[in-house]
Amino acid sequence: MDLRNRLFGNELSPYSVKVRSYFRYKRIPHEWVVRNSEVEEEFLKFAKLPLVPLVVTPEGQALQDSTPIIEHFERLYPEPSIHPATTTAAFISALIEEYADEWANKPMFHYRWTYEADRESAADRLARSLMPGADPGPMATMIKGRMVPRLAFVGSSAQTKDIIEASYRRQLNILEAHLHRRPYLFGQRPAFADFGLYAQLYQCSTDPTPAAIMRESAPHVARWIQEMLSPRAEGEFEPWEPLAPTLLPLLRDEIGGLFLPWSAANASALAAGEKTFSVTLAGQPFGQDTQKYHARSLAALRARYEALTDRTELDRVLAETGCLPWLTGAAS
């Protein structure tokens, strides 16, 4: 029996390369399988949803959704751990991973399908990967026709453009200062947060418009992205204290200032049976359709927080950065 896991994905899928990076780090036996017309029958045999990544284990178990996939394999391959030892650092790492999946995806998707050069680049690359050997032109046209209208799905619009693009630039500036001092977000080895955040920014580094911004303003971020393609431990996680000065701005300005208020507003609107919602972020209105998955994701994050026994230091950090009320439900 082949003991490798089959990882179905695509190079333009942030969640696919997130899992691939994790597998490479843990040296989990696997085969990277590009989902395309040649393997579609096998993919559909195992996939419950028509989405990548899909992992098929040697025993025939099918796993989808990048975060549960990583959590599953972390139980099987606990060393080297991707979770810092302290409660504060471990939870903040998980919080950043959640922010990456649910908010940092917005700039990635926005840039890719808003600007013509980015649309052309992404559609051509997707077409070539999906239909190897075929003329990519017709497929690329179909992809653009399908993906551009989906900008609204992530909340990208003329009204929200400035919020999303400012978030991307702010994120790069914060990470540039932080990664100037260390190879990974939490020290000398990758944490849960690295896999989630790198995956979104890796996509930005391959698209013309956000890549140009990154090259100009964030060379250390670009270096970190390249390391995360096949990361390795270079030492240990750092204590929270030396991480705090340059990581707190991400918690305050991005997670406490944008992501958690947006996520809580989505969950509240969904609970009220609303199909759309609007929330004020950075002094500006941000509106989009409600998303069921994001509400479940926020509930899981709050449950992770509630399960912690000693939150003294963590609560101090979360309160300082404006994150605490959103995690306790006090601000909902």
Side-chain angles (χ1 to χ4, degrees):
M1 181 177 72
D2 190 342
L3 298 180
R4 294 177 299 173
N5 298 276
R6 287 173 65 76
L7 170 55
F8 291 80
N10 190 286
E11 198 71 29
L12 278 77
S13 158
Y15 306 104
S16 297
V17 299
K18 172 185 171 183
V19 174
R20 185 181 67 184
S21 175
Y22 173 80
F23 275 17
R24 288 173 174 175
Y25 176 59
K26 287 302 186 89
R27 298 185 178 180
I28 297 171
H30 70 281
E31 178 185 5
W32 171 254
V33 182
V34 177
R35 182 194 172 186
N36 58 32
S37 57
E38 296 174 353
V39 299
E40 188 68 0
E41 183 177 351
E42 181 184 4
F43 176 85
L44 293 175
K45 176 183 175 182
F46 290 99
K48 293 182 179 179
L49 297 170
L51 302 172
V52 290
L54 164 71
V55 174
V56 180
T57 70
E59 298 77 24
Q61 180 183 8
L63 303 168
Q64 287 184 282
D65 194 337
S66 63
T67 297
I69 289 171
I70 289 176
E71 290 174 336
H72 170 86
F73 281 96
E74 190 68 8
R75 290 189 290 270
L76 298 178
Y77 297 85
E79 297 296 335
S81 177
I82 62 169
H83 300 298
T86 67
T87 296
T88 297
F91 182 81
I92 290 172
S93 174
L95 177 58
I96 294 173
E97 191 269 350
E98 183 72 7
Y99 156 81
D101 278 4
E102 308 303 330
W103 179 271
N105 177 257
K106 293 183 184 300
M108 187 283 294
F109 200 90
H110 165 81
Y111 279 111
R112 177 165 284 177
W113 300 110
T114 294
Y115 296 104
E116 188 60 30
D118 303 273
R119 291 176 182 175
E120 292 294 331
S121 172
D124 180 74
R125 286 179 287 149
L126 276 170
R128 292 178 187 277
S129 69
L130 294 172
M131 299 288 289
D135 176 7
M139 173 65 76
T141 299
M142 185 184 75
I143 289 170
K144 285 187 290 183
R146 180 173 183 267
M147 300 306 290
V148 172
R150 290 180 65 82
L151 282 164
F153 186 77
V154 300
S156 172
S157 66
Q159 180 190 51
T160 63
K161 170 181 176 291
D162 290 346
I163 297 174
I164 292 173
E165 294 190 2
S167 175
Y168 175 66
R169 291 177 181 272
R170 185 185 307 110
Q171 183 188 136
L172 288 181
N173 290 337
I174 292 169
L175 293 176
E176 181 66 11
H178 186 71
L179 292 167
H180 178 69
R181 300 174 179 273
R182 53 189 57 81
Y184 299 105
L185 294 178
F186 285 79
Q188 302 298 311
R189 60 199 299 180
F192 200 15
D194 288 271
F195 294 100
L197 197 50
Y198 129 82
Q200 304 296 338
L201 289 173
Y202 169 62
Q203 299 302 320
C204 291
S205 76
T206 70
D207 292 331
T209 302
I213 297 170
M214 185 182 296
R215 284 194 303 271
E216 179 181 346
S217 63
H220 289 93
V221 175
R223 185 271 312 158
W224 165 69
I225 289 169
Q226 290 304 306
E227 288 295 322
M228 284 302 299
L229 287 171
S230 189
R232 62 182 185 274
E234 300 178 13
E236 300 303 320
F237 292 121
E238 293 180 43
W240 172 247
E241 289 75 13
L243 297 169
T246 46
L247 208 50
L248 282 174
L250 186 70
L251 299 179
R252 181 187 63 242
D253 300 336
E254 282 292 300
I255 297 177
L258 296 177
F259 165 56
L260 289 175
W262 165 82
S263 187
N266 172 73
S268 296
L270 195 65
E274 303 291 339
K275 293 185 178 180
T276 63
F277 72 98
S278 181
V279 59
T280 300
L281 301 176
Q284 302 177 64
F286 189 102
Q288 70 171 97
D289 293 346
T290 53
Q291 305 293 325
K292 291 182 180 179
Y293 181 84
H294 297 322
R296 292 195 297 269
S297 184
L298 177 61
L301 183 64
R302 286 173 169 170
R304 182 190 289 266
Y305 169 80
E306 289 295 333
L308 300 175
T309 54
D310 182 4
R311 302 193 294 259
T312 305
E313 181 188 48
L314 175 62
D315 280 355
R316 186 164 57 248
V317 174
L318 295 175
E320 178 184 350
T321 55
C323 295
L324 187 60
W326 306 106
L327 292 168
T328 61
S332 297

